[in-house]
């Protein structure tokens, strides 16, 4: 294997000079640099990244841990991250925690052993002891999508509470009073915040909260399916459902279709997370859209800033907005049509 020594000999310089020229640090005259680069090309020299990292104490590698890589939401987040860090010369190691805090901790240990320069984390639950210790030691860390108590780190999140509240208020505006929710896990930030949004919307409309109408899923499809079926088995099922993420919404839609429930006539549905497939469903899904790509890109930008400039005195928090995309599954179009046809009749009666 061609070594740095061979390159130095070929270029007629010392090993230290060749190393500076190839590593891009320290002073080397432009002529010497091009001599060394020419020699490296000629000998087809590939630097040993491990050895270089040991000298520079930087691996130019970032850890990215998402809570479910099968979820298209996180695919968009990761794309946003990768587009930014790639421009700055970093590579990512992507890990999938599968909404499992133990698996997450295992990956955190591995990433630490691999000496990643920083970490982008969408946590699966509360902060474990390992993460707390690593953060205390000064790990450059940015939390994405979900915050965790006890960790003072930069974070990029969306306004989950307002997004959920707007969705439920929309259903209330369409005349629904019995609104069920399939909420996310309550130990997860987004699960908790979206349920708070649901509760706030009911409280503002003075609709009493019914425990039976709140069912907690795990952010995965199977729980959406199971809990929608439970709603349908109630003596007095809800007339509308607010489902707190995309995968649980797919599960709920499958259960409703299997049971022959018409959407939105028998049950209106609003989901959280607007996915590409939402508009081609029958009926098209009304959903709360979150800027997943921007979430990843902003988080990556924060981490790069931290790596370049060092820690900021106060952790920064970026809160992005959600947007309610009204389509047909909530019944808004039916509602509009019935108002349009009923108005002339009312006028005639008057
Ligand atoms: O599906 C995962 C969900 O959890 C998404 O809605 C995302 O916001 C995350 O918190």
């Amino acid at each position: 294997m061609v070594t740095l020594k061979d390159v130095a000999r070929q270029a007629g310089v010392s090993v230290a000079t060749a190393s500076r020229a190839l590593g891009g640090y320290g002073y080397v005259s432009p002529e010497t640099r091009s001599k060394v680069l020419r020699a490296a090309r000629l000998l087809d020299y590939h630097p040993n990244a491990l050895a270089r990292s040991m000298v520079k104490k930087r691996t130019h590698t970032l850890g990215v841990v998402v809570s479910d890589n099968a979820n298209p939401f996180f695919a968009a987040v990761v794309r946003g991250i990768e587009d930014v860090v790639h421009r700055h010369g970093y590579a990512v190691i992507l890990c999938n925690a599968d909404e499992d805090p133990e698996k997450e901790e295992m990956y955190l240990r591995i990433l630490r052993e691999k000496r990643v320069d920083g970490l982008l984390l969408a946590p699966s639950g509360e902060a474990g002891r390992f993460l707390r210790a690593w953060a205390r030691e000064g790990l450059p860390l940015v939390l994405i999508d979900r915050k965790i108590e006890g960790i003072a780190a930069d974070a990029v999140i969306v306004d989950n509470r307002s997004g959920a509240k707007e969705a439920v208020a929309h259903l209330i505006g369409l005349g629904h009073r019995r609104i069920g929710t399939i909420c996310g896990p309550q130990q997860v930030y987004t699960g908790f915040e979206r349920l708070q949004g649901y509760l706030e919307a009911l409280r503002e409309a003075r609709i009493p909260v019914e425990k039976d109408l709140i069912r907690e899923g795990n952010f995965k499809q199977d729980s959406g399916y199971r809990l929608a079926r439970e709603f349908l088995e109630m003596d007095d099922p809800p007339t509308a459902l607010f489902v707190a993420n995309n995968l649980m919404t797919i599960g709920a839609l499958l259960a409703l279709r299997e049971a022959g429930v018409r959407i939105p006539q028998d049950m209106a549905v609003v989901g959280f997370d607007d996915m590409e497939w939402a508009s081609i469903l029958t009926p098209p899904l009304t959903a709360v859209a979150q800027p997943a790509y921007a979430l990843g890109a902003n988080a990556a930008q924060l981490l790069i800033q931290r790596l370049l400039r060092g820690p900021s005195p106060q952790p920064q928090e970026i809160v992005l907005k959600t947007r309610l995309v009204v389509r047909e599954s909530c019944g808004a179009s039916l509602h509009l049509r019935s108002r349009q046809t009923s108005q002339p009749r009312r006028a005639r009666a008057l």
Side-chain angles (χ1 to χ4, degrees), residues 73 144-147 155-168 189-198 200 242 244 271-273 287-292 294-295 317-324:
F73 167 83
I144 312 178
D145 176 58
R146 304 166 174 193
K147 293 199 289 184
V156 185
I157 52 172
V158 304
D159 191 349
N160 291 281
R161 200 179 279 226
S162 304
K165 186 174 170 186
E166 187 183 3
V168 177
Y189 177 78
T190 45
F192 178 80
E193 285 294 304
R194 291 173 198 172
L195 180 59
Q196 295 309 307
Y198 163 89
E200 278 181 17
F242 167 59
F272 206 102
D273 290 319
V288 180
Q290 25 175 5
L295 214 59
E317 183 170 303
I318 300 180
V319 184
L320 304 178
K321 283 197 166 40
T322 59
R323 186 169 52 90
L324 181 66

Side-chain angles (χ1 to χ4, degrees), residues 126-144:
E126 287 142 16
R129 222 179 301 149
F130 182 77
L131 179 63
R132 280 176 212 255
W134 197 8
R136 265 198 310 272
E137 283 169 32
L139 156 77
L141 165 69
V142 179
L143 297 172
I144 312 178

Side-chain angles (χ1 to χ4, degrees), residues 119-233:
L119 177 68
L120 292 144
L121 170 68
S124 292
E126 287 142 16
R129 222 179 301 149
F130 182 77
L131 179 63
R132 280 176 212 255
W134 197 8
R136 265 198 310 272
E137 283 169 32
L139 156 77
L141 165 69
V142 179
L143 297 172
I144 312 178
D145 176 58
R146 304 166 174 193
K147 293 199 289 184
I148 25 180
E149 242 175 77
I151 299 275
D154 293 344
V156 185
I157 52 172
V158 304
D159 191 349
N160 291 281
R161 200 179 279 226
S162 304
K165 186 174 170 186
E166 187 183 3
V168 177
H170 177 72
L171 288 168
I172 296 172
L174 295 172
H176 293 280
R177 289 293 173 272
R178 285 186 64 69
I179 303 171
T181 183
I182 299 179
C183 61
Q186 290 303 289
Q187 75 281 11
V188 172
Y189 177 78
T190 45
F192 178 80
E193 285 294 304
R194 291 173 198 172
L195 180 59
Q196 295 309 307
Y198 163 89
L199 295 171
E200 278 181 17
L202 294 190
R203 269 197 297 270
E204 270 185 22
R206 297 185 195 288
I207 298 175
V209 174
E210 277 185 50
K211 277 209 183 117
D212 260 6
L213 293 180
I214 302 174
R215 307 217 171 198
E216 183 175 330
N218 59 5
F219 273 154
K220 298 213 175 171
Q221 186 172 328
D222 59 337
S223 66
Y225 178 83
R226 178 174 45 84
L227 297 172
R229 283 181 66 118
E230 282 184 22
F231 276 129
L232 295 177
E233 280 157 18

Side-chain angles (χ1 to χ4, degrees), residues 332-346:
S333 47
L334 284 184
H335 187 74
L336 193 70
R337 251 180 272 144
S338 77
R339 281 181 51 182
Q340 280 164 351
T341 49
S342 65
Q343 258 165 9
R345 236 182 282 137
R346 246 203 326 263

Side-chain angles (χ1 to χ4, degrees), residues 65-69 74 95-100 104 122-124 145-146 220:
V65 183
V66 295
S67 54
D68 184 3
N69 75 341
F74 286 113
C95 305
N96 169 41
D98 207 13
E99 303 287 359
D100 175 355
E104 179 182 296
S124 292
D145 176 58
R146 304 166 174 193
K220 298 213 175 171

